Amino acid sequence: IDLRGDWPTALRAAGFDPSKPTAWSAEGLLPYLPATGQDLLFERVVQLSAPGSRIAVEALSPSFFEPDYLERRRQYLRRNQQSGALDPVDLWFLEERTDLEQWLTERGWQASAIDALDLMHRYGRPPADDMADLSPRSVFIEGRHRH
């Protein structure tokens, strides 16, 4: 279903019970939604979340939108894709985004965030030296609904 549409109705029709805690996950999704679509998605998630619900999100860091970084990513993808392959950057909505950690906290969630590069180092999986400049500029957010 298009997440900009009325997916909560379809979810309920499929048997979803918003009175029970739910686990939500959004990874690799947000660049493909406009900023308003992202906001609407999370407004609906909050409305459908009972106390005890959990969320895990890969969000875009503000530095994700730096033109030099995006151009380096684009060049890397072009060098490593087959000729004529679609460039995912062409599908991204490169717009300023809501700070989801703060947004969730303001709505009764206990949330924390970690930069992707820091998370990679935590798990002993740093990018190779030649890839450090292209490491993901995303933030992983986890939260639990307290109310």
Side-chain angles (χ1 to χ4, degrees), residues 58 61 63-64 69-70 72-73 76 92 115-121 125-140:
E58 178 190 16
S61 71
S63 66
F64 181 91
Y69 170 73
L70 290 172
R72 285 191 307 273
R73 281 187 61 102
Y76 172 79
W92 293 345
D115 287 328
L117 189 56
D118 292 338
L119 188 61
M120 293 167 76
H121 283 282
R125 307 279 312 214
D129 289 339
D130 63 333
M131 295 296 294
D133 204 30
L134 293 170
S135 63
R137 292 195 179 178
S138 52
V139 177
F140 287 88

Side-chain angles (χ1 to χ4, degrees), residues 60-78:
L60 306 176
S61 71
S63 66
F64 181 91
F65 301 103
E66 291 176 359
D68 290 344
Y69 170 73
L70 290 172
E71 185 56 30
R72 285 191 307 273
R73 281 187 61 102
R74 185 182 300 273
Q75 293 303 322
Y76 172 79
L77 290 171
R78 284 182 182 153

Side-chain angles (χ1 to χ4, degrees), residues 25-108:
S25 175
E27 185 175 354
L29 167 70
L30 299 185
Y32 300 98
L33 290 176
T36 56
Q38 173 184 301
D39 292 347
L40 180 59
L41 171 69
F42 289 105
E43 287 170 13
R44 290 174 169 172
V45 164
V46 167
Q47 291 169 354
L48 294 167
S49 295
S53 292
R54 300 189 67 114
I55 192 165
V57 179
E58 178 190 16
L60 306 176
S61 71
S63 66
F64 181 91
F65 301 103
E66 291 176 359
D68 290 344
Y69 170 73
L70 290 172
E71 185 56 30
R72 285 191 307 273
R73 281 187 61 102
R74 185 182 300 273
Q75 293 303 322
Y76 172 79
L77 290 171
R78 284 182 182 153
R79 285 191 309 270
N80 293 290
Q81 289 181 338
Q82 295 178 350
S83 177
L86 181 64
D87 186 342
V89 176
D90 292 335
L91 300 174
W92 293 345
F93 288 87
L94 302 175
E95 304 169 336
E96 187 174 328
R97 305 295 175 119
T98 300
D99 178 331
L100 286 174
E101 179 186 17
Q102 178 182 343
W103 190 88
L104 287 166
T105 299
E106 291 169 354
R107 284 155 183 81

